[in-house]
Structure formats: C-alpha cells, structure tokens
Amino acid sequence: MKKIFGRPRSLKPTPTHYCPGCGHSIVHRLVAEVIDEMDMRGSSIGVPPAGCAVLAYFYFDIDMVEAPHGRGPALATGVKRVLPNHLVFSYQGDGDLAAIGTSESFHAANRGENITIIFINNAVYGMTGGQMAPTTILGQKTTTSPPGRTPLLDGYPVQISEILAQLRGAAYIERCTVNSPAAVMKTKRAIRKAFQYQMDNRGFSMVEVLSPCPTNWKMSAVDACKWIDEVMTKEFPLGVLKDIGTKETGKEKKS
Amino acid sequence: MQGNCVIGEAAIRAGCRFYAGYPITPQNELTEYMAEHLRKAEGGVFIQSESEIAAINMIAGASAAGARVMTSSSSPGISLKQEGISSMAACELPGVIVNMMRGGPGLGNIRPSQGDYFQATRGGGHGDYRTIVLAPATGQELADLTMDAFDLADKYRTPVMILADGMMGQMMEPVVFRKPKPRQYPDCYVLKGAGDGKSKFIRGLILDAIEMEEHNWKLARKYDLISRQETRCEIHEAEDAEMMIVAYGTAARVAKGAIRRLRSMGLKVGLFRPVSLWPFPTRELRELSEHIKHFIVFEMSTGQMLDDVRLALQGFANIDFFGRPGGVVPTPAELSNVVSRRYPQKDAYVDRFLRFKVVEGPFGP
Ligand SMILES: Cc1ncc(C[n+]2csc(CCOP(=O)(O)OP(=O)(O)O)c2C)c(N)n1
Ligand code: SF4
C-alpha cells in the first residue's frame, strides 16, 4: 500500500503540550514538512523562544539551541555566521519578538541576516497566562488589560511585519494564518519560500502566522479561528509585505 | 602594544573566530582591533552588535555552532550581558568575556576602577552559577591569560571572564605572544546539524524540578572541580614579610611600586596577588597567614575582594583595608603612606573572630 501521509522525519514522535486548537502544533508540523521536503533535516538548526514553544527541542528532530526570552535572532545570527550553509531559524511568539526582543529582531532584519524568523502572533502572552502583548488588539481583554486594551493606557497594536518590511535588509516577509485548511497550505508555501530565500542567500526572511490561542482568548477552537478572520486580520492584514523577488542576483555569500 | 589590542591579538592567535561587541569606553580599541584583524583571519567573523545583550547572545550562538568566541565591554555593558552569561553557564557554552572596568555604579565615569569584583566573582547574573575570572596585571599577562581563558572555557564548557580595567586597557607595554595550545573541544558538544544521525539540543531550561536539581548539582560539581584545580596567584617578597598587601590587577601594580618604597624604608612588606579571582586562591592565602599576621587589602573599590580575604583568613590575622572607589588610581606614594602608618600596629591583638578596619581613604575614617 502506498503511504500518502505520515509524520515528518523532522518531528519526533512525541505528543506536544500545546492546548487543543493552538496554532503552535500546526506550525511546528509545517516547518518540519518543509525541512523534509527541502531535504535539510541534517543541516538545520532551530532556535526556540521563551514562550509556549519553549520545549520545541522536544518536538523537532533537528539540532536546536535555546535562547533567552527575545534573543533568538541574535543567537541565530551567531549560529548562521559560523555555519553559513545551514538552514537557521528562530521561532518566536509576539511577546518574544515584538516586546522584549524588538531590538534583536529589528537589527537582524536590518543587517539582512540570512536567517528566517517564524513569528507566531497570537495577540497575547500565552505561556505566562494571557497577559497583554504588543500585538493585543484594541478592545481585547487580557489579564493585564481587563477592561480591554485602550490606546490611551496601553498604546496601539504593533505591526511588526510592516515595520520590518521597511528595512532594506529584509528580503521576504509574509503574514499568514492557520485557521483553515487553505490558510494552512498557504502558510506552508510561505515558510518554504522564506527558507528558500535564506538558502539562496537573499537576506532576512520572516513568516508571521496569526495563530489561535483558544485558552487565553477564552474561546472555543472554532470561535478562535473565526475571531482571526473577523477581528485579527483587520488589524493585521494578510499578505506579502516584502518580497525582493526571486529573479535578482544575490547568490554571493555574506561573510 | 596597547593593552586592549594585546587581548585582541592573543584571542585571534588562540583561535577566536567570532567576536561580537558594542562600543563602550575604555575598551573600544579592542572592538576596533577585532573589526580590523579578526575579519582578515581565515573564517573570522566580526559583528558590531546593536547592544551588549545581542552581543553575548551572538557569541552564545556561535559557540553552540563550535567556534571559539569572545565579546568585550566595560561595566555598564557587562551588566547587560549578565542575562546571557547566566544562560551560557546554564547551557554549558564556552566563551570569553572581557570586562575593562570603569568607575561607579550606573553610568559612573570612564576612569579605571575595580568596582565589578562582586558582579564578576559571584556569578553576576541570576541563578546558581560561577564564572571563571582571571585578573591580569601586566601587558604580558593580558596576552597569556587571554589564551588561557579560551582553554579554560573549552575545558570546563563555561564562560570565562578577563577582568581588567581602563588603565590596563590603555597601557602600552611590550609583549611576547606564546604559541597557543591546540584546541581541545570534542565535537560532541557542537551543533552542526543532525546530518544522518540523531539530533541534539542545547538548553538550560529544565521544567522538571528533579532534573533541574540534577543539572544544578552537575554544575556545582564542575565549579567545585574548578575551585580545586584552577586557582592562581602571585606571591611577591613574602619570605621575610611582616605585612602583606593583597591586591589584584592595576592595584597590584601600584602595590609593587609601594613595596619598593616601603622596603627601602626598611619595612618588610610583601604582596599577595590573586590572578584567578574566582576561584579565589583561598588556600594559598591562608597558608601565608601561618607566619604573617597582618594583611592590608588594597582595591580600587570600597572593599569587595576584602570579603574573600576575610573568608580565607577567618580571623587568624589582622586585616586592614584601603580603597579609592571613584575611578582614581592611587599612587605608590599614597599607598606606601597608608601602609607605613599601619605597619607599627602589626603586632596588635589578633582576634579569633573577624577583625578588619577601614583605614584612611581621602574621605576617611
Ligand atoms: C527575561 C524574561 N522575562 C520574562 C519571561 C517570562 N515569559 C516567558 S514566555 C513570555 C511571553 C510569551 O509570550 P509570547 O512570546 O507571545 O509566546 P506565546 O507563549 O504566546 O507563544 C514571558 C513574558 C522570561 N522567561 N524571561
Ligand atoms: S496558551 Fe495559547 S499559545 Fe500557549 S499552548 Fe495554549 S493555545 Fe497555544
């Protein structure tokens, strides 16, 4: 019998700790599938964050090295400069990337660092119990914005992808989601493209994934998927924010 | 060669191939040296990072990927690096961190000081860990100890700090670079991608309490081994000494000048100079106290190494203290004045319990 679906080689046969309906487990699988398809399992190095994905090294069957909260892009930079032919990515939540690690993300993008960030935007701090994130939507209730986020007290949701897309070192940035089968396939294509850009030495690439956190949004998994379409994408429109194109040259290696 | 550049050259010769740093006075020449020379070395990577936090994490990543790595900074920048140093200690990633200390807490000033002793020798960051700390006092030692630092970092898979100050960094002295030892760092600790085999991970996060405890005990055993095997010190003019100055780094150089003066006045004074600040040469210092009963600790701080001296001597000798903490380097004349005023009291009652006095600084008691 022909096998048409199985566990990607780049994932360990380990059940994850993620909540039902969480986007992390879907994105893990997509990243692993792409690594397999690109035949990069043996030469990939991942950098997991502090956040719900902190245990990613138990799930991915590739080499991984932990980073302190927010510092993933700096660590990945160090790895990549020593191993320029490897696929190096950091995997980060919105608290990790858009709050404590803004500086590291911004400057890795600006240096055109040949790494990829997989950016999971679930509009809250999942791991620490649902506090407000820089990406929390106006009006969204969290444990630290109980009446709902207001610009006056809490500022505005940060559109990180739009900001990083402004930087000249950024080669490819796309915002996707994983709230429907079609969206999942699209996200996978984006991850594939981001990794391909990296392997072609095009510069910095990032895929932002609007990802459900039913637990902290206090919704069912189905409602969380709907909420992404109805509310989240209004603040964070889906689509390609930066693409320097595949045609240009750029094959020469960065030192 | 200028002190900062000596460290850079020694590091490159020792096989350092990755440096990340952020400018701060008084160590900029080191960053600049690496920018110029490491880039030219085969496989050498220099990055001017966006912050000290990024720099330490960049070297952590490069270390995980198997390179010999270094970063450098001065006091306020080292405070920012502490998160990363703690993380490297937890993940058992080797790396060399240079601290050219400057004056004061906060921004302080850019003058030489020794105010970061506590931070350097007590771990500095959060958690139960130690950093090997080496304190050079000459240009030659800047070269030799930098090379040693890389070997120690690899041997124990831990961050090693070179603790000096702005004065050491700026001073010009002739040095001879010795041949570095071949690197001994097994591949099994390096991430290179899983290849066809099993994947590896490097982590310090261990959610299971029992596992975390095991990991901490493992680290503790390592620190214990280091403290038994890696203490270093210089003992100078101790044979007939009736009183010993205890000082490290720049202060020890000043002390040597003072000792020449004191000896010419007929006062029998020697110097005990810790070269490894952690592990502190406790045993060596205690052995001296068997025949010398009067010590004066001299630091460019309000008295930090003093704690380690007290722990070593445990009340079996008199301990005085003299320090100037403002970024001032006291002169040998000033120090010898202080010492000669204390000298006649060398036979004072030796308490079984701790007894030390802060003696005259400019703002005194
Ligand atoms: C220096 C530091 N500050 C705070 C924390 C606590 N902390 C752990 S994860 C996290 C935020 C996680 O949120 P996010 O990055 O959005 O990821 P998610 O859990 O939502 O996937 C925080 C604040 C930490 N581990 N380290
Ligand atoms: S708290 Fe949210 S982000 Fe974390 S595992 Fe649960 S659903 Fe996923």
Side-chain angles (χ1 to χ4, degrees):
Chain A
M1 210 178 12
K2 195 173 152 216
K3 184 172 173 184
I4 54 164
F5 194 74
R7 183 178 51 78
R9 172 86 172 83
S10 299
L11 277 189
K12 292 175 186 153
T14 312
T16 67
H17 69 285
Y18 299 116
C19 310
C22 174
H24 275 304
S25 39
I26 303 172
V27 180
H28 278 23
R29 183 176 173 107
L30 295 182
V31 170
E33 283 179 1
V34 171
I35 291 174
D36 280 8
E37 284 165 20
M38 291 175 74
D39 203 14
M40 297 291 297
R41 177 191 168 264
S43 52
S44 294
I45 296 186
V47 181
C52 281
V54 70
L55 297 178
Y57 42 70
F58 284 147
Y59 309 143
F60 282 105
D61 193 9
I62 59 170
D63 278 6
M64 298 200 105
V65 49
E66 165 189 304
H69 193 28
R71 317 299 174 212
L75 229 109
T77 295
V79 174
K80 182 73 184 190
R81 295 285 186 114
V82 176
L83 301 170
N85 299 321
H86 280 53
L87 175 72
V88 179
F89 66 91
S90 74
Y91 185 105
Q92 300 175 258
D94 43 73
D96 195 82
L97 188 147
I100 192 169
T102 326
S103 168
E104 284 78 5
S105 323
F106 183 98
H107 289 282
N110 190 50
R111 284 194 303 272
E113 207 66 62
N114 239 318
I115 57 169
T116 304
I117 297 183
I118 307 295
F119 169 30
I120 307 298
N121 180 355
N122 57 17
V124 286
Y125 287 19
M127 189 194 208
T128 42
Q131 296 86 358
M132 184 178 66
T135 45
T136 294
I137 308 292
L138 292 180
Q140 187 184 343
K141 291 188 165 128
T142 71
T143 56
T144 49
S145 58
R149 183 179 194 161
T150 63
L152 196 65
L153 296 176
D154 311 310
Y156 296 89
V158 179
Q159 293 161 315
I160 279 287
S161 287
E162 279 80 351
I163 294 169
L164 298 193
Q166 301 285 314
L167 301 172
R168 277 182 278 173
Y172 173 66
I173 295 179
E174 179 164 355
R175 183 182 287 124
C176 322
T177 176
V178 285
N179 64 350
S180 71
V184 169
M185 293 320 291
K186 217 167 168 192
T187 301
K188 183 173 169 183
R189 283 195 292 276
I191 294 171
R192 168 94 202 211
K193 192 163 167 185
F195 282 174
Q196 194 57 53
Y197 272 47
Q198 181 188 152
M199 294 325 291
D200 293 343
N201 292 311
R202 311 296 314 277
F204 176 83
S205 55
M206 180 169 89
V207 178
E208 173 176 349
V209 182
L210 304 184
S211 166
C213 177
T215 305
N216 286 307
W217 295 355
K218 308 205 176 353
M219 290 177 198
S220 70
V222 174
D223 286 347
C225 289
K226 264 198 228 140
W227 192 77
I228 290 181
D229 279 339
E230 285 164 10
V231 181
M232 229 182 148
T233 52
K234 304 284 177 302
E235 188 65 52
F236 302 111
L238 303 180
V240 176
L241 294 150
K242 179 82 175 271
D243 186 350
I244 58 169
T246 40
K247 292 281 182 293
E248 289 168 52
T249 56
K251 294 269 179 192
E252 65 284 359
K253 233 172 238 143
K254 287 194 184 259
S255 69
Chain B
M1 208 170 177
Q2 199 211 38
N4 281 320
C5 303
V6 171
I7 297 182
E9 182 59 31
I12 294 170
R13 286 176 190 240
C16 174
R17 284 299 172 269
F18 188 98
Y19 172 95
Y22 185 85
I24 181 170
T25 309
Q27 60 81 57
N28 293 323
E29 297 82 359
L30 175 49
T31 310
E32 288 162 4
Y33 193 91
M34 296 311 260
E36 173 87 26
H37 295 90
L38 182 58
R39 275 200 170 120
K40 288 187 203 140
E42 166 137 19
V45 179
F46 167 89
I47 304 182
Q48 180 171 330
S49 59
E50 63 271 26
S51 69
E52 289 83 353
I53 301 175
I56 187 83
N57 285 287
M58 285 174 183
I59 73 159
S63 175
R68 277 201 149 170
V69 300
M70 183 168 91
T71 183
S72 65
S73 191
S74 179
S75 309
I78 297 293
S79 293
L80 287 176
K81 288 189 200 291
Q82 290 300 342
E83 175 200 44
I85 299 174
S86 162
S87 175
M88 286 176 77
C91 294
E92 301 195 79
L93 289 170
V96 174
I97 299 127
V98 179
N99 181 2
M100 291 296 184
M101 289 180 280
R102 55 190 247 179
L107 276 183
N109 65 19
I110 58 169
R111 307 275 309 144
S113 153
Q114 295 184 323
D116 303 351
Y117 181 95
F118 280 157
Q119 185 195 51
T121 58
R122 266 57 181 168
H126 62 283
D128 223 349
Y129 78 97
R130 298 286 186 158
T131 314
I132 298 177
V133 184
L134 304 177
T138 62
Q140 187 58 47
E141 265 190 352
L142 285 174
D144 296 341
L145 293 183
T146 298
M147 288 190 177
D148 291 350
F150 283 98
D151 295 336
L152 288 171
D154 283 347
K155 182 170 174 196
Y156 296 103
R157 283 190 292 132
T158 198
V160 177
M161 182 176 283
I162 302 281
L163 189 71
D165 61 55
M167 177 97 152
M168 298 271 354
Q170 301 298 323
M171 218 156 42
M172 294 275 222
E173 278 185 304
V175 295
V176 179
F177 292 100
R178 68 155 199 251
K179 211 167 154 276
K181 296 192 191 113
R183 187 179 191 196
Q184 307 221 319
Y185 189 63
D187 263 4
C188 60
Y189 300 125
V190 175
L191 295 190
K192 296 188 291 275
D196 298 331
K198 259 186 79 170
S199 59
K200 292 197 279 242
F201 53 79
I202 295 175
R203 61 158 182 169
L205 174 108
I206 301 170
L207 292 177
D208 183 274
I210 298 295
E211 261 186 75
M212 179 82 252
E213 194 181 33
E214 273 167 20
H215 182 66
N216 283 338
W217 278 126
K218 179 181 158 216
L219 293 179
R221 281 192 296 276
K222 170 162 88 176
Y223 301 138
D224 185 49
L225 186 69
I226 295 171
S227 54
R228 277 183 283 121
Q229 295 190 336
E230 304 297 346
T231 54
R232 298 169 184 219
C233 61
E234 182 198 339
I235 298 170
H236 175 68
E237 306 250 22
E239 302 72 34
D240 61 339
E242 303 206 315
M243 187 171 172
M244 289 293 272
I245 301 173
V246 186
Y248 70 95
T250 295
R253 283 186 83 122
V254 176
K256 279 198 177 164
I259 287 166
R260 271 197 298 279
R261 286 167 167 264
L262 291 161
R263 290 250 163 203
S264 69
M265 288 153 58
L267 306 188
K268 291 176 182 151
V269 179
L271 171 70
F272 183 84
R273 176 172 75 94
V275 175
S276 59
L277 299 183
W278 193 85
F280 191 80
T282 302
R283 189 168 13 92
E284 294 84 340
L285 183 57
R286 185 166 312 158
E287 273 166 19
L288 274 186
S289 74
E290 280 162 20
H291 68 280
I292 304 172
K293 294 293 175 194
H294 196 173
F295 292 77
I296 180 160
V297 177
F298 167 49
E299 293 178 77
M300 283 139 62
S301 74
T302 53
Q304 300 194 6
M305 183 177 65
L306 178 59
D307 278 13
D308 281 331
V309 175
R310 290 162 71 183
L311 285 169
L313 299 180
Q314 301 210 350
F316 290 106
N318 278 338
I319 306 167
D320 284 325
F321 174 75
F322 172 59
R324 292 195 66 176
V328 179
V329 183
T331 60
E334 187 181 355
L335 177 61
S336 56
N337 281 342
V338 172
V339 173
S340 61
R341 274 203 296 280
R342 300 304 300 166
Y343 190 81
Q345 299 175 36
K346 68 182 165 51
D347 296 325
Y349 165 70
V350 178
D351 204 319
R352 285 278 294 138
F353 300 99
L354 213 60
R355 191 175 104 78
F356 79 94
K357 269 206 205 79
V358 176
V359 298
E360 52 264 75
F363 312 106

